[in-house]
Amino acid sequence: MWVNGVARLNYLSEAGYYSSMKKKKIGLLYGGRSGEHEVSLRSAASVINNLDPDKFEPIPIGIDKIGIWHLQQRGSFRSIPGQGEVLEIIKNSRPLALVPGKGFYQGEERLEIDVIFPVLHGTFGEDGTIQGLLEVVDIPYVGAGVLASSMAMDKEKAKILWQKEGLPVVDFLVVRDASAGAVAAIEQTFNYPLFVKPAAGGSSVGIHKVDSHAELKPALADAFNYANKLLAEPAIDGRELECSVLGNHRPRAFPPGEILPQHGFYDYNSKYIDPEGALLAVPADLPAETAKLVEETAVRAYLALEVSGMARVDFFLEKKSNKLLINELNTLPGFTSISMYPKLCEKGGLPYPDLLEQLIELAMESHAEKNRLTYSFE
Ligand SMILES: Nc1ncnc2c1ncn2[C@@H]1O[C@H](COP(=O)(O)OP(=O)(O)O)[C@@H](O)[C@H]1O
Ligand SMILES: [Mg+2]
């Protein structure tokens, strides 16, 4: 049931009534040209397993590492010991084509898809590019739009917007090359230990904790493999908190969780390789007023970037000052069955299948809202 005009229109016309009763076809985009390809295969498996089969029909579309889209006949699952199920990408020789304003085609055949769920993380998925493509095709899609996706992906731009709203962020310096001047600027601004990270990226790829002068240049050199712009930040000694936010204009936040890295920081290894690398506390053990502050700040951070659909907002709670600092906002957070985003929603009273249904409804709402606007003057 959609809360805007679309549902009512459907209800009034016979064909519309029929279509609102029909199962919605959900195109699942997964895989992708990103360092987070493998994570996406796991997220996609969980999404398919949790879509209510009475209401939705999944249409899996795997994007291989070169970027070619392959329609999957049926989802083909594979179990990886210790990591759960992945949705495989079976390549075929009839790649999908997108036709602007028309939809998805395989050869001459048009695919019927009601909503796209981009279960893609990182570059070419979370950064606004896929969202732009889906806008051109004119199809509803789950999650943030073009502008919010790309602003959230750029850690510098996101922080500038949050600072403008008076929200607390981790201090940062933008670094555009690994010259002696850049090294000097970093050292004048921050003491060791400090962090160096690609401005756009994810999954901790290219992120370094730097303890001394000798480590700085190699860290910069490595990070520049992943982005042309880096951030240097003070290393925050604190707790890592994460908050799930869901909604369009009036988003709600769920009680926060905590990441408890077991060695070092929350790096790629502890995120995806070593199951014991980090523990998740759901919810975090926090005084009620701190949890409330996290939720309120998460909603403000979400609105400041004009996010729709969902986001996971990540924080540090600094030990020495007890200050809450925003680290980053992820518009397509991990969606595996053990991922923080769905777990926090579940703990907060929204089971995974209901969460998916709400995300699909929010996508339809956003799309209907855009279609209400006038784009031409005669
Ligand atoms: N300034 C910082 N101080 C302390 N730890 C940090 C800092 N920046 C990043 N980290 C650690 O690195 C991890 C990944 O960094 P993050 O900025 O979240 O990038 P990504 O987008 O790859 O998740 C964080 O979860 C945290 O453990
Ligand atoms: Mg992160």
Side-chain angles (χ1 to χ4, degrees):
M1 183 192 72
W2 324 117
V3 294
N4 45 54
V6 169
R8 243 168 289 140
L9 284 179
N10 277 350
Y11 192 79
L12 291 178
S13 77
E14 220 171 292
Y17 179 67
Y18 174 64
S19 84
S20 72
M21 299 299 286
K22 262 196 329 187
K23 278 188 200 179
K24 290 255 175 299
K25 296 191 189 242
I26 311 299
L28 281 185
L29 289 179
Y30 67 105
R33 281 167 69 198
S34 146
E36 291 158 280
H37 182 96
E38 274 74 23
V39 188
S40 166
L41 305 187
R42 280 162 59 191
S43 291
S46 308
V47 170
I48 287 215
N49 285 332
N50 283 285
L51 270 179
D52 182 343
D54 292 332
K55 296 178 181 154
F56 304 111
E57 179 186 335
I59 301 184
I61 301 169
I63 305 180
D64 68 22
K65 287 188 173 173
I66 315 170
I68 298 174
W69 297 28
H70 303 274
L71 178 65
Q72 307 294 297
Q73 288 317 324
R74 303 179 259 111
S76 159
F77 293 87
R78 184 163 53 93
S79 227
I80 299 187
Q83 295 199 11
E85 265 188 327
V86 297
L87 187 63
E88 291 192 298
I89 297 176
I90 313 288
K91 294 187 187 177
N92 60 54
S93 54
R94 293 180 66 214
L96 273 191
L98 276 72
V99 181
K102 292 212 164 213
F104 291 72
Y105 283 78
Q106 193 176 36
E108 296 292 301
E109 196 187 327
R110 184 173 183 276
L111 288 184
E112 209 190 303
I113 297 178
D114 296 302
V115 176
I116 289 282
F117 194 147
V119 194
L120 299 164
H121 314 302
T123 18
F124 305 115
E126 197 171 345
D127 62 356
T129 52
I130 289 278
Q131 289 73 15
L133 195 60
L134 297 170
E135 292 285 344
V136 171
V137 176
D138 192 20
I139 190 163
Y141 56 89
V142 166
V146 175
L147 181 66
S149 300
S150 53
M151 285 193 303
M153 194 59 167
D154 188 309
K155 292 184 163 100
E156 178 208 6
K157 294 292 179 270
K159 289 198 205 209
I160 290 172
L161 287 162
W162 290 326
Q163 283 176 326
K164 211 158 171 290
E165 294 289 322
L167 293 168
V169 300
V170 178
D171 208 2
F172 65 99
L173 182 74
V174 174
V175 185
R176 294 188 188 272
D177 59 62
S179 64
V183 167
I186 295 171
E187 292 186 328
Q188 270 159 28
T189 314
F190 304 120
N191 297 320
Y192 292 103
L194 52 87
F195 267 81
V196 162
K197 60 174 81 168
S203 288
S204 302
V205 175
I207 298 192
H208 296 267
K209 184 175 186 193
V210 185
D211 289 313
S212 66
H213 175 77
E215 291 173 23
L216 184 53
K217 268 218 152 179
L220 293 173
D222 178 66
F224 272 121
N225 287 321
Y226 303 99
N228 295 320
K229 179 171 80 175
L230 310 183
L231 300 192
E233 298 177 357
I236 303 298
D237 181 16
R239 295 170 67 180
E240 275 194 65
L241 305 175
E242 302 192 342
C243 186
S244 296
V245 183
L246 175 71
N248 287 348
H249 300 295
R250 282 188 304 279
R252 65 187 273 213
F254 292 84
E258 181 169 6
I259 305 290
L260 304 158
Q262 297 301 290
H263 31 75
F265 68 98
Y266 195 30
D267 59 5
Y268 187 86
N269 200 49
S270 51
K271 281 180 181 171
Y272 307 117
I273 313 277
D274 173 9
E276 264 98 60
L279 303 175
L280 307 186
V282 177
D285 182 12
L286 291 170
E289 68 272 21
T290 311
K292 187 159 173 267
L293 179 66
V294 172
E295 289 166 35
E296 284 169 3
T297 312
V299 167
R300 289 178 63 198
Y302 189 94
L303 292 171
L305 300 193
E306 299 193 18
V307 180
S308 47
M310 66 172 150
R312 198 192 69 223
V313 189
D314 298 350
F315 297 88
F316 297 110
L317 185 61
E318 194 177 35
K319 279 199 182 121
K320 64 171 191 238
S321 64
N322 204 33
K323 258 176 104 175
L324 184 69
L325 301 166
I326 305 171
N327 175 34
E328 61 157 346
L329 181 149
N330 296 284
T331 50
L332 286 172
F335 243 82
T336 73
S337 53
I338 56 158
S339 293
M340 192 60 120
Y341 187 89
K343 276 214 164 285
L344 290 175
C345 296
E346 196 140 40
K347 194 77 188 174
L350 187 66
Y352 198 140
D354 299 349
L355 166 64
L356 295 179
E357 188 171 352
Q358 288 207 10
L359 285 168
I360 291 164
E361 289 192 10
L362 289 166
M364 308 274 298
E365 262 177 51
S366 282
H367 185 254
E369 227 168 67
K370 276 177 236 159
N371 278 359
R372 267 206 303 270
L373 302 176
T374 304
Y375 294 105
S376 64
F377 300 94
E378 303 283 315

